[in-house]
Amino acid sequence: MLGLQPETRSPIRVPTPRLCGRRTDESAPETGGSAFHPSESCPSSGRRAETPGLEERGDVRAESRARPQSARGRGPPGDRGLPEPDRGRGRQMEAQGRVLLLTICAAGIGGTFQFGYNLSIINAPTLYVQEFTNETWRTRTGQPLPDHLVLLVWSLIVSLYPLGGLLGALLAGPLAVTLGRKKSLLVNNIFVLAAAALFGFSRRAGSFEMIMLGRLLVGISAGVGMNIQPMYLGESAPKELRGAVAMTSAIFTALGLVMGQVVGLRELLGGPQAWPLLLASCLVPGVLQLASLPLLPESPRYLLIDCGDPAACRAALQRLRGPADLAGELAELEQERAVCRGGRARRPWELFRERALRRQVASLVVLGGAMELCGNDAIYAYASAVFSQAGIPQDKIQYAAIGTGGCELLATLLSCLVIERAGRRVLLTGGYGLMSCWGSVFTVALCLQGSFSWMAYLAMACIFAFILSFGIGPAGVTGILATELFDQMARPAAYMVCGALMWTMLFLVGLVFPFIMEGLSHFIYVPFLCVCVCAAVYSGIFLPETRGKSFMEISEELHRLNFPGRSRGPAWAGPEVVRSTEL
């Protein structure tokens, strides 16, 4: 060992790759490094005769001083003065970042962007679709449709979207396992194409049933995309950027909300004649994804663990990372693959029966439900009334509503930048804590707005502050939980549970909210306030931090949390990963 044999002189060690030659490992056990033999160096080592003593000193800086100034000044202006390997590494990292960015954009434009976009564009043509429904019924029967039935048809058109999302969430798990992450996103666009055709020809065909069916199909597409996109990105990103990359799902959701509000303006496609085109405009993001996503790699983790294809996994990693940093990540993937062979993927109901997944399932259910029950939808519903009371003209409220969507987009961008520094638990706890504070102030402002004229402005400020707090924490971090807390065998089923829970809550809130608003009046936010407080407490105490950890490290920590009394029992063997999974 080094230090026990001081009399052994090691060969010359070169700290940087500037001197290239054959390295031998015969002396590695006693020197702790590899030996360099200058006699077998590359052709460029012929400069040694011009630089006496370079081999004896092993000083790379001496070679740098001996090289002509012109040789050191080559390359782009930003790379001048850098060694050739450093310039190559910089170009390699730039190419790696470009592929990862394109993967994020291609997956997001047809994934969560569609969810936010189709959620917001339906608000603009409300009156026009109701008039179209009444006219269609009069044409068929010769009598107008009663007002309460018109409202019922409109309610069905709106509620079929979350119902389709529930079906899509249940469909996402089998699709992700059988087709893979990327192919599932591509196949998902079939629903978008069919829905766009139904929307576009509904008025010409005189059928409001086509609108109802189209809303169901775009809901299915949104349910599939919202589950598979974060799964795909979380498995494709390096662990140092996994949180930030997965957070882009929330960014595209907020971007879709804002774009839907902008396109729905009366000056664009929100007019009485253009509303079929407004509803059919979901075709554009689908076509963009179909044109771009096939050019990008599949999830490396899916290729190796689920498909058992090491060559395809390495090729995908090389496109996403570059060839220099693959050894450690491939070793982790091979370790996961070797831990458990055979078996099958878990079914959604099996997650609730297994003690080894108790903490993961509890976190998924509590925080997934809290995101839908935290009152963010209530804030959006109250925004128009608060803006009107604050003195904003009625025809300008639609522009103020765009500001609310812009706040959420800005907050998710900020969260994406700080999530790898602050951590998941801090953002969730802080986000729900701030939402509790602003919700309390908002309730007080609603109660006192009749006594003080400036309370309407305070309530309007609370709306923007609440949405900012929601975007910083719950909006994006909640979607990462299923990716990071569950192993490869349980992850598709976990996304099915999370998606089904989210869409069910969204449907119930939309169904019950009008009655809550009528019954509680200014105290409408009190139930949501309790949810925010409970979510903040749970995040701060029970949610494990996953920042910067590999899937193996996360699984080991969760094993200790699920079996606290077995610290001296059998050692943990690793996450349950299968070579081939099925549902």
Side-chain angles (χ1 to χ4, degrees):
M1 293 179 60
L2 187 64
L4 297 180
Q5 299 177 358
E7 71 281 3
T8 303
R9 297 180 60 86
S10 62
I12 301 172
R13 298 175 61 191
V14 180
T16 64
R18 291 303 306 162
L19 294 177
C20 55
R22 180 176 61 86
R23 293 182 182 274
T24 60
D25 297 329
E26 291 81 7
S27 60
E30 65 179 55
T31 64
S34 58
F36 176 76
H37 295 263
S39 60
E40 300 182 11
S41 59
C42 62
S44 61
S45 61
R47 287 191 300 267
R48 289 176 298 161
E50 303 173 8
T51 314
L54 180 62
E55 302 112 310
E56 291 78 2
R57 292 193 309 268
D59 189 358
V60 179
R61 289 175 296 179
E63 184 189 15
S64 177
R65 289 193 299 266
R67 289 160 53 195
Q69 184 68 26
S70 60
R72 285 180 285 176
R74 295 172 185 168
D79 291 340
R80 287 177 183 173
L82 293 176
E84 193 68 33
D86 291 343
R87 289 199 295 267
R89 191 178 302 113
R91 289 191 292 268
Q92 179 183 1
M93 293 179 63
E94 181 181 352
Q96 168 194 346
R98 184 161 52 245
V99 173
L100 185 59
L101 179 62
L102 290 175
T103 303
I104 292 170
C105 294
I109 195 66
T112 54
F113 179 88
Q114 288 278 32
F115 164 68
Y117 186 76
N118 288 288
L119 189 66
S120 62
I121 62 172
I122 197 63
N123 296 322
T126 299
L127 296 177
Y128 308 133
V129 174
Q130 291 179 359
E131 291 175 359
F132 168 70
T133 302
N134 198 10
E135 292 173 1
T136 301
W137 189 263
R138 182 185 290 112
T139 302
R140 293 178 183 177
T141 64
Q143 296 179 353
L145 192 65
D147 292 342
H148 68 282
L149 292 181
V150 172
L151 184 60
L152 177 62
V153 172
W154 173 249
S155 300
L156 286 174
I157 291 174
V158 174
S159 60
L160 280 173
Y161 183 69
L163 180 60
L166 175 60
L167 297 176
L170 298 177
L171 184 63
L175 281 178
V177 170
T178 48
L179 299 181
R181 285 41 165 166
K182 186 178 81 169
K183 288 182 180 178
S184 297
L185 289 174
L186 292 173
V187 170
N188 186 39
N189 287 287
I190 295 176
F191 300 110
V192 176
L193 299 178
L198 290 171
F199 290 143
F201 293 101
S202 59
R203 186 168 61 180
R204 180 170 296 183
S207 172
F208 59 84
E209 294 86 355
M210 294 175 65
I211 301 178
M212 299 171 65
L213 182 57
R215 288 291 292 176
L216 179 66
L217 292 178
V218 293
I220 294 175
S221 173
V224 173
M226 286 193 68
N227 280 8
I228 295 182
Q229 179 192 338
M231 192 189 313
Y232 173 51
L233 296 179
E235 292 178 357
S236 300
K239 64 181 181 180
E240 297 83 5
L241 299 175
R242 189 174 59 236
V245 171
M247 271 291 298
T248 58
S249 300
I251 293 176
F252 277 98
T253 300
L255 182 61
L257 286 169
V258 175
M259 289 299 299
Q261 292 171 336
V262 171
V263 176
L265 292 175
R266 286 185 291 270
E267 293 81 358
L268 297 178
L269 295 180
Q273 301 300 322
W275 63 264
L277 295 178
L278 174 63
L279 297 179
S281 60
C282 61
L283 177 67
V284 177
V287 171
L288 289 176
Q289 186 178 70
L290 287 173
S292 58
L293 192 58
L295 306 176
L296 298 165
E298 174 61 276
S299 161
R301 184 174 298 271
Y302 170 80
L303 292 173
L304 180 64
I305 299 176
D306 290 74
C307 300
D309 192 344
C313 172
R314 175 177 286 275
L317 278 176
Q318 285 178 342
R319 293 192 63 190
L320 290 167
R321 312 278 192 275
D325 302 322
L326 299 183
E329 191 165 359
L330 282 173
E332 290 180 3
L333 290 175
E334 288 290 352
Q335 183 182 1
E336 288 190 28
R337 183 189 178 198
V339 165
C340 180
R341 294 181 181 272
R344 58 172 177 79
R346 289 187 178 86
R347 295 176 173 87
W349 54 87
E350 294 175 348
L351 302 182
F352 297 90
R353 298 202 302 252
E354 188 164 346
R355 184 180 175 184
L357 299 174
R358 184 176 299 172
R359 180 65 65 92
Q360 296 95 305
V361 172
S363 300
L364 191 69
V365 171
V366 171
L367 297 176
M371 187 180 71
E372 296 302 325
L373 299 177
C374 65
N376 190 61
D377 295 330
I379 288 290
Y380 274 108
Y382 246 93
S384 297
V386 172
F387 292 155
S388 179
Q389 292 173 0
I392 297 178
Q394 196 66 30
D395 58 338
K396 303 296 182 183
I397 289 180
Q398 58 177 345
Y399 302 104
I402 295 176
T404 59
C407 278
E408 185 171 340
L409 177 60
L410 177 64
T412 52
L413 288 171
L414 178 62
S415 179
C416 183
L417 295 176
V418 303
I419 187 172
E420 294 300 342
R421 292 189 177 95
R424 285 68 160 154
R425 185 164 54 191
V426 171
L427 291 181
L428 277 176
T429 306
Y432 279 118
L434 289 173
M435 290 164 67
S436 302
C437 296
W438 296 121
S440 302
V441 177
F442 182 67
T443 303
V444 173
L446 288 180
C447 293
L448 299 179
Q449 62 182 353
S451 304
F452 303 95
S453 59
W454 53 271
M455 281 294 174
Y457 299 98
L458 178 61
M460 186 169 62
C462 287
I463 287 176
F464 288 101
F466 185 91
I467 293 173
L468 284 171
S469 303
F470 176 77
I472 288 175
V477 181
T478 308
I480 307 174
L481 297 180
T483 298
E484 296 189 330
L485 297 183
F486 292 86
D487 56 42
Q488 191 77 5
M489 179 182 289
R491 190 172 297 125
Y495 268 103
M496 292 173 67
V497 172
C498 181
L501 177 68
M502 188 204 75
W503 287 103
T504 302
M505 293 294 182
L506 185 63
F507 177 77
L508 292 177
V509 168
L511 187 65
V512 178
F513 179 73
F515 302 98
I516 298 178
M517 186 166 55
E518 182 179 353
L520 297 180
S521 184
H522 298 326
F523 297 95
I524 183 176
Y525 196 76
V526 173
F528 304 123
L529 181 62
C530 297
V531 172
C532 291
V533 172
C534 293
V537 172
Y538 183 89
S539 302
I541 298 177
F542 299 104
L543 183 67
E545 181 56 70
T546 59
R547 177 188 59 176
K549 298 178 182 178
S550 66
F551 287 112
M552 295 283 292
E553 295 168 340
I554 295 171
S555 297
E556 186 174 6
E557 180 180 354
L558 288 168
H559 181 81
R560 290 195 301 266
L561 293 174
N562 287 318
F563 299 98
R566 299 188 183 181
S567 57
R568 297 188 181 182
W572 179 74
E576 294 183 279
V577 184
V578 294
R579 181 187 181 95
S580 177
T581 58
E582 62 180 9
L583 283 174

